[in-house]
Amino acid sequence: MSKNVLVIGGAGYIGSHTCKKLQQLGYTPIVYDNLVHGHKSSVKWGPIEVGDLLDFDRLSEVFGKYKPISIIHFAAYAYVGESVLDPSKYYRNNVVGSLNLLDAMRVNKIKSLIFSSSCATYGIPTRVPITEDAPQIPINPYGTTKLTVEKMINDFSHAYDLDCVVLRYFNAAGADLDGEIGENHLPETHVIPLILQTALKKREHFYIFGNDYDTPDGTCIRDYVHVEDLAQAHISSLKYLEGGGSSTQYNIGNGSGYSVRELVTEAERVTQEEISLVIAERRVGDPAILISDSQKIKNELGWQPEYSDINTILETSWRWQKGLI
Ligand code: UDP
């Protein structure tokens, strides 16, 4: 019998890629999503139950219907800038919603969870690459909501016998290798889609947020990890929990950094288009450099990034962006 996995936020970018992989490996992904940012068209590998993280009764009903062996929790608001302007929205959905989920899991005796956290929990790192034991001092409400949920999970794990893998993503990028799904945020704020949409002339200019950072070319450096590799990290975590693994945390990045300027150069090569640049002000809440040390998950779960070279990231994103209307 196929094993049900409840994927909360499974109609979103990383969630939908994870659902595809789950189905390919013989699991049944049950998507639970309120479709505020998720797309129904991205739910192709199992049923969808429309519902909100804040709705305890609906969550319990879905737990009862499908009896999932594990829950993968992607659902969150994730715009850093918006979290500064409207923290209430972020605390309610990301923190109160996750507390609601944890309580619903406790009451319904579901003991296995994989949670999407973020490198935003580290704030401005004192050392790069960043290891999991680095200080977590977020510099924006979004990062604080993720860290708060991590702390709740830690306390629930001890008190209620919950096993949870926390995955701290660096910069998710790229699109499905078969071109079936990809990044489609409304509004789009992420660097690679914006660069590529400028190459497509859907946008007049690409704005570089600050060129006076303490980096070799003055622009911010990030660790871009392909969404396929991110999805695989969830599968590895699921198998670890199925095998009786106990609660832990892993960074998920590819371990090398690209500056914004380097991304533009690489994108011009891949697209063969000139990208019109404007140097703009720094964006509030952006650390200069974020690079992951992902040795822990490599050592413990055998995870390896396979598609996170910049060429594959840009090629898959470019194919996806060209297909978007
Ligand atoms: N960035 C930029 N121009 C944009 C969007 C992003 O220069 O229009 C920069 C941003 O300052 C950061 C990097 O690109 O240094 C990645 O930003 P993104 O929003 O994609 O991801 P985040 O790091 O916020 O998760």
Side-chain angles (χ1 to χ4, degrees):
M1 203 180 75
S2 167
K3 294 184 253 189
N4 290 339
V5 176
L6 191 67
V7 185
I8 302 190
Y13 172 42
I14 306 168
S16 57
H17 286 79
T18 303
C19 286
K20 180 170 178 177
K21 239 180 229 313
L22 283 167
Q23 196 259 355
Q24 286 170 340
L25 291 168
Y27 298 93
T28 301
I30 317 297
V31 169
Y32 184 92
D33 202 297
N34 63 7
L35 297 178
V36 169
H37 286 303
H39 304 280
K40 207 168 183 180
S41 57
S42 300
V43 182
K44 303 178 190 228
W45 295 281
I48 179 165
E49 294 284 346
V50 177
D52 202 278
L53 203 51
L54 289 159
D55 188 341
F56 186 97
D57 292 341
R58 179 82 177 112
L59 279 171
S60 287
E61 181 192 331
V62 171
F63 291 170
K65 182 169 171 189
Y66 295 100
K67 312 224 174 325
I69 58 157
S70 186
I71 292 180
I72 309 184
H73 173 26
F74 292 98
Y77 291 135
Y79 294 119
V80 169
E82 186 185 52
S83 80
V84 175
L85 296 173
D86 193 1
S88 168
K89 176 175 173 180
Y90 278 68
Y91 284 100
R92 181 156 311 282
N93 186 69
N94 297 4
V95 177
V96 181
S98 296
L99 175 59
N100 204 40
L101 171 66
L102 288 171
D103 268 331
M105 289 179 67
R106 179 173 59 82
V107 169
N108 289 276
K109 301 195 170 19
I110 297 175
K111 300 202 168 291
S112 166
L113 175 69
I114 299 164
F115 173 63
S116 307
S117 189
S118 166
C119 62
T121 60
Y122 294 115
I124 297 173
T126 47
R127 222 163 19 122
V128 282
I130 303 169
T131 50
E132 287 83 354
D133 56 2
Q136 288 178 288
I137 310 170
I139 57 168
N140 52 59
Y142 167 68
T144 307
T145 64
K146 288 288 178 183
L147 180 58
T148 307
V149 179
E150 284 200 21
K151 287 179 190 288
M152 292 193 313
I153 286 171
N154 188 39
D155 293 340
F156 271 60
S157 293
H158 290 121
Y160 308 123
D161 191 24
L162 168 77
D163 292 314
C164 177
V165 177
V166 168
L167 299 178
R168 296 184 190 134
Y169 310 156
F170 281 64
N171 285 59
D176 177 45
L177 300 175
D178 308 321
E180 286 190 275
I181 39 177
E183 194 166 8
N184 190 7
H185 298 111
L186 288 172
E188 189 53 81
T189 62
H190 293 100
V191 62
I192 291 177
L194 293 177
I195 289 174
L196 296 177
Q197 288 169 10
T198 313
L200 280 170
K201 310 290 179 257
K202 287 185 179 172
R203 294 172 191 271
E204 205 177 337
H205 308 293
F206 170 71
Y207 295 85
I208 294 185
F209 294 151
N211 67 348
D212 57 353
Y213 284 95
D214 188 13
T215 61
D217 66 19
T219 65
C220 286
I221 295 176
R222 293 287 179 274
D223 177 330
Y224 296 91
V225 55
H226 198 288
V227 66
E228 290 270 347
D229 290 329
L230 266 177
Q232 183 55 45
H234 293 78
I235 304 294
S236 304
S237 302
L238 178 62
K239 290 190 181 295
Y240 165 78
L241 291 174
E242 277 189 280
S246 52
S247 293
T248 191
Q249 308 79 28
Y250 296 117
N251 284 343
I252 311 292
N254 96 66
S256 58
Y258 274 83
S259 74
V260 178
R261 241 184 216 289
E262 286 171 328
L263 281 184
V264 172
T265 306
E266 293 292 327
E268 287 186 327
R269 179 182 56 74
V270 167
T271 63
Q272 295 290 301
E273 297 286 344
E274 205 173 306
I275 294 160
S276 167
L277 294 182
V278 172
I279 304 296
E281 292 291 301
R282 288 183 176 199
R283 188 173 66 178
V284 176
D286 267 341
I289 306 181
L290 291 172
I291 298 176
S292 169
D293 180 329
S294 302
Q295 204 53 47
K296 189 176 168 208
I297 190 168
K298 290 179 186 170
N299 292 346
E300 295 184 7
L301 304 191
W303 176 83
Q304 280 289 345
E306 278 185 56
Y307 305 105
S308 293
D309 58 283
I310 205 65
N311 210 47
T312 306
I313 285 176
L314 288 171
E315 295 269 7
T316 53
S317 304
W318 180 231
R319 185 170 51 179
W320 171 252
Q321 286 295 335
K322 281 191 292 188
L324 284 180
I325 28 163

